[in-house]
Each structure stands twice: as structure tokens, then as C-alpha cells.
Amino acid sequence: MSSIGTGYDQSSVTYSPDGRTFQVEYAGKAVDNSGTAVGLAVKDGLVFGIEKVIVSKLWEADSNRRLATVDKHIGMAVAGLVADGRQLVNRARKEASGYRSFYSQPIPSKILCDRVSGFMQVYTLYSHVRPFGVSAIFGAYDRDGPRLWMVEPSGVSFGYYGVAVGKGRQAAKTEIEKLKLSELTVEEAIKEVARIIYATHDEIKEKEFELELSYISDASNREHRLVEKDVLENAVNLAKAAMEEDSDDE
Amino acid sequence: TQSSWTLSGLENIASMVVDAISAPPAGLTQDFNQEVLTGTTIMAVAFDGGVIIGADSRTSSGSYVANRVTDKLTQINDTIFCCRSGSAADTQAIADYVKYYLSMHAVELGEQPEVRTAASIFQQLCYNNRDNLMAGIICAGWDKVNGGSVYTIPLGGMCVKQPFSIGGSGSTYVYGFCDANYKEKMSREECERFVKHAIALAIARDGSSGGVIRMAIIDKSGVERKVTLGNEVPRFYEGN
């Protein structure tokens, strides 16, 4: 899948003979090598989950959070270069705030998606800046229902029912496709996301990780909330138990 | 306003004196240099399923009636209108901007915007440019989320949602009538009567309001415009 772009990959502003912009593709590799991020749009809301790889035991828990709230009603999960992700979240917050200021309405997730996509795309046009090394998964429980979006480093975006990026994305996608998303509730989805992230975490190759979980549902008044501590612990326990079951089945 | 002790303050006084000396006696000439105003009566009432808006049709330039059949009910989109009072130029310019911004927004949104959004754009323009504008606007219409809504945006640029609103110079004469006769949950016909009578009474007492009564009834199917010509305007006590 990977090809060498020798000669055509030095800067963002160079096309290869077969029409590829390698710098943008390499930015995508930064995303592919980061901890998994998962987003699900289910019957009564959305759930976001992140496998936050812990590089050092000296880190405080909760540092380098990769889940963020944009305005009150939008949740954003970033995969890739965390610092780039933070800048993206800041930009998204400015867009949401400006929109609310002018139109007296919370920004619909579709419009925020267009804004974030446009913003990321700009950084693929010039040689003196580099593309964002981030894929951002975000969504809101809009008036018409839950909507989930993902923007890639190229600025391309799609709407999703379920999405996974990062190291464990292949395995995670397989798991997600097994789920009947339109019938799941947020409560159930929280447990599923926890299970998927634990299941796709490579015990041997990878270090310790911390699970970040958040949700948007009617219970939270359609606002983005981090999953409460006790619910999180319960989901983690269930996930660990599921893994042991799997390893027992031979 | 500057202190009369500064240099420019003294210049102001000097120019005032010059004007006073060179001006002809008042009443002998028409003041064509006065800004064209919609000294006006405007009104909007929300009912279940829509709004009714109404206005008089007089545009005055001093004591000269520049237009006796003005349309002060300006369309912003299919189901949102605004009633304009104050400077005709200012309100027309503002309405044009709002129309433009709202149409761009509707494309981005993918559906018809709410009345609240239009009112918010009016507010942004009127507040941020408050020092240079004289515009009293009532933004009213129908949207599928809230039904009929009325928002009033008076001179300083505040914006407040009301069940009904009156504005313009003529409105001062009908506050009592409106307070006494407004009821919640009026029917469409009752609202029509309410608007027509209030504007008729204002026209009777306010020299800057007159002409015909223009009304527009806005609901989910669109707009129905009505005109009540001079001889059909309701009449009240006029002496013996």
C-alpha cells in the first residue's frame, strides 16, 4: 500500500506524475500510527472513544486529552499529532462561537464540518506550512438526529454511521460493522466502544493506554459530556472480561 | 457633542449662527434637505400558525410627503418580512444586507432559516453601526421550528422577541389601545382586525403617518398581502 514518492514528496505543492500529493498522504501516516479513535452514531445519540497511549508512567492521568467539546453540543475526537489536534479544536471553537454570535444559533455539525474541512485544506496549498497531521472525528445530536463526521488531513470529509482511525482501525472497523448501530442505545454503545478499543489494543506491541470515552444523548440534553467515572469503570471492566472470554475460547 | 470651548466647538456654534441668519422664515419654504424619514406606524402580531404585519404608507421629507403609497413591509425571504421605520435609506440598506446574508446562510444550512436568525443578523448590523444609523425595525415571519415569531429591533440595536410589537412615531398614540385590546391566542381574523384598527387610530393622530394601510399575513404557505385604501380605513370618533 505504501509507495515511495521519491522526488515528488518534498513539498505540499508538488504533484507526482500520477496525480498524488505525497506530503498530504504522509500526514495521513501520522494519523495511522496514533492511538485508535472511534466514533459511533446510534439511535439516541453519539459515542466517542479514544485509545490514549501512555508514553510515560510519570504522566498525570487525564493529561493530553484527545477528546474535546466544541461549543456545548459538539464532541470532537482527534487522532494523530496531538498538538495539531489542539489547534484544530481551537479553530472549531472559534467557528462555532462566531456562528452563534452572528446567527443566534448553535452551529449545525454539517456546517462545522465544512468549516473544518476548508481550514485543513488550506494547509495543503502552500509549501511554507505543513498539512495537519490529524484526522478529526466529531458530531452532534442535531435537530434531525445524531450526525457523525470525519475530516482527514487532506480536508476531505465524509458523514459516517461509525468510524475508526489510528493504529487499530482495521480491527475496529470490522467490529463496528458487526453492530446494528441504528438499534443501539448510547448506554449500550458506550460499552461497545470500550470493548472495541480494548479488543483492538495490541497487548504485545504497545504500551499502556488510557481509555477516553464521551457521549451525546438525550440524557445529557444533547450536550457533549465525558462518560461519568462509574460508568467508565463499569465499561472497562466489561471490556476486560470480554477479552478474557475471548482468550478462553480456543 | 463637543465642548463649546474647543476650537471645533466654537466652529460648530459659528456655523449654527450662520445658518440661523441665512435661513428664511420657517413655514415659507419646504425643507428639502431634511433626511427622508419613514415617520411611521408599523406593527406585527403573532398568532398560532403565523404572523400579521401592518404599516401605514407615508414617507415624509420634512412636511412634504415624498411618497404617499410607500411599502414599508419588506420581504427578506419566502416567509420572513421586516417592517421599517426611521431613515428610509438606512432601513432599505440594512434590509438588503440581511436579505443577502440570509440567502447565503440558507444555502449553507440547506434549509429555510429561522426568524430568530434573521432578527439576529438585523441586530448585528443595527448594533455595530448604531452611531451611524437611525433604524427601528420589526422582524416577523414564520418558520417550521417556532411557527410565527415577532422580534423588535429598536434604535440602539437591542433585539427582543414579543407576542406583538408596535413601532414608529405613530405607535406612541396607540400603546394604550394595543395594551387594552391584545389577547393571547387570538385567531387570524381577530389579529387582522387588531392590526388594522391600531394603525388606523395611529394614522388619525400622527401627522407623519397616513395613506393606506398595508398588511401582510404570513404563514407556512407563504404571504398574502392586503391593502386598505384611504376611504376604507376604519374611522373612529371624529367629532360632530
Side-chain angles (χ1 to χ4, degrees):
Chain A
M1 247 184 70
S2 58
S3 52
I4 308 171
T6 321
Y8 302 107
D9 60 351
Q10 289 284 306
S11 85
S12 292
V13 297
T14 310
Y15 280 100
S16 75
D18 51 351
R20 295 162 70 171
T21 43
F22 278 99
Q23 276 299 308
V24 178
E25 291 186 23
Y26 295 160
K29 302 262 188 290
V31 175
D32 291 343
N33 292 330
S34 87
T36 316
V38 169
L40 295 183
V42 295
K43 186 169 68 173
D44 60 339
L46 297 116
V47 178
F48 302 95
I50 296 223
E51 171 205 14
K52 189 173 77 186
V53 174
I54 298 177
V55 173
S56 164
K57 287 195 169 57
L58 295 174
W59 276 8
E60 253 184 16
D62 262 16
S63 52
N64 295 318
R65 199 163 257 300
R66 287 167 49 198
L67 277 177
T69 304
V70 175
D71 202 314
K72 287 191 287 190
H73 61 295
I74 300 177
M76 202 169 210
V78 296
L81 302 177
V82 178
D84 286 11
R86 197 170 302 128
Q87 286 297 79
L88 208 60
V89 166
N90 281 340
R91 178 72 190 205
R93 285 176 176 161
K94 273 201 203 115
E95 293 286 351
S97 157
Y99 186 98
R100 199 186 260 277
S101 203
F102 194 71
Y103 296 112
S104 277
Q105 298 274 24
I107 190 167
S109 61
K110 177 181 78 164
I111 293 186
L112 182 67
C113 182
D114 289 342
R115 304 281 174 96
V116 172
S117 302
F119 180 67
M120 288 177 79
Q121 190 270 344
V122 169
Y123 287 76
T124 68
L125 292 173
Y126 306 104
S127 61
H128 56 277
V129 294
R130 61 166 175 80
F132 278 83
V134 171
S135 279
I137 300 173
F138 59 92
Y141 197 162
D142 287 335
R143 195 172 288 133
D144 309 332
R147 301 294 297 271
L148 185 66
W149 309 89
M150 187 182 71
V151 190
E152 297 165 11
S154 58
V156 157
S157 63
F158 290 100
Y160 290 89
Y161 297 110
V163 65
V165 290
K167 271 192 272 236
R169 67 189 175 286
Q170 295 287 48
K173 274 187 207 157
T174 317
E175 289 297 319
I176 292 173
E177 280 165 15
K178 291 183 196 162
L179 298 170
K180 278 220 179 87
L181 292 169
S182 56
E183 289 168 22
L184 277 180
T185 62
V186 165
E187 273 176 37
E188 293 163 351
I190 287 174
K191 295 176 195 149
E192 292 293 341
V193 170
R195 181 185 62 79
I196 291 171
I197 289 185
Y198 267 85
T200 58
H201 175 74
D202 191 334
E203 283 291 333
I204 306 160
K205 279 195 215 150
E206 291 169 0
K207 307 176 183 152
E208 286 276 314
F209 80 101
E210 197 183 300
L211 174 67
E212 285 182 59
L213 270 182
S214 71
Y215 70 100
I216 304 173
S217 77
D218 285 316
S220 69
N221 209 15
R222 300 200 180 190
E223 289 179 5
H224 181 240
R225 302 271 165 84
L226 293 176
V227 165
E228 294 78 17
K229 204 150 171 251
D230 52 339
V231 179
L232 182 67
E233 272 173 27
N234 185 33
V236 168
N237 290 335
L238 286 171
K240 286 183 177 161
M243 275 175 57
E244 282 173 20
E245 274 177 24
D246 281 346
S247 58
D248 287 345
D249 297 339
E250 275 299 305
Chain B
T1 49
Q2 291 163 318
S3 151
S4 46
W5 299 111
T6 63
L7 192 59
S8 44
L10 286 171
E11 282 172 340
N12 275 342
I13 294 187
S15 58
M16 269 163 49
V17 169
V18 165
D19 284 345
I21 291 172
S22 57
L28 279 189
T29 55
Q30 314 226 330
D31 187 357
F32 292 109
N33 290 324
Q34 239 200 52
E35 204 189 337
V36 171
L37 294 175
T38 46
T40 293
T41 311
I42 51 174
M43 187 165 172
V45 184
F47 64 94
D48 183 28
V51 295
I52 302 197
I53 58 175
D56 74 303
S57 70
R58 179 172 291 182
T59 303
S60 38
S61 184
S63 60
Y64 171 63
V65 177
N67 186 350
R68 63 186 174 91
V69 285
T70 322
D71 184 7
K72 302 177 189 178
L73 307 175
T74 304
Q75 189 158 30
I76 303 296
N77 80 3
D78 286 348
T79 51
I80 302 177
F81 267 68
C82 73
C83 310
R84 301 180 294 109
S85 73
S87 152
D90 288 352
T91 54
Q92 283 174 11
I94 293 168
D96 284 346
Y97 271 109
V98 174
K99 211 165 160 177
Y100 168 67
Y101 286 139
L102 204 69
S103 76
M104 289 290 130
H105 176 60
V107 171
E108 205 184 22
L109 206 55
E111 58 180 12
Q112 290 293 78
E114 293 178 30
V115 182
R116 181 158 133 214
T117 309
S120 182
I121 302 175
F122 269 114
Q123 179 184 25
Q124 290 284 316
L125 292 168
C126 291
Y127 177 71
N128 291 329
N129 298 297
R130 56 187 287 166
D131 294 339
N132 300 317
L133 292 173
M134 191 158 81
I137 290 171
I138 301 179
C139 177
W142 178 92
D143 64 68
K144 71 174 192 276
V145 178
N146 307 295
S149 322
V150 172
Y151 290 85
T152 187
I153 303 121
L155 245 44
M158 84 159 186
C159 177
V160 76
K161 184 178 197 300
Q162 295 177 310
F164 78 95
S165 184
I166 55 179
S169 57
S171 69
T172 56
Y173 303 103
V174 291
Y175 272 102
F177 171 81
C178 290
D179 289 345
N181 289 290
Y182 176 73
K183 298 187 311 282
E184 285 182 354
K185 300 200 201 310
M186 285 197 284
S187 72
R188 186 192 168 110
E189 291 70 30
E190 287 174 301
C191 283
E192 234 184 281
R193 232 175 92 92
F194 178 52
V195 168
K196 197 186 285 191
H197 278 44
I199 295 181
L201 285 163
I203 285 174
R205 286 293 183 178
D206 180 29
S208 312
S209 299
V212 307
I213 301 180
R214 293 199 190 277
M215 286 201 296
I217 305 162
I218 308 164
D219 61 17
K220 73 166 183 268
S221 51
V223 187
E224 187 197 343
R225 273 193 177 266
K226 292 190 177 179
V227 183
T228 309
L229 296 176
N231 54 339
E232 286 155 24
V233 167
R235 291 157 73 170
F236 301 89
Y237 172 71
E238 283 164 4
N240 295 319

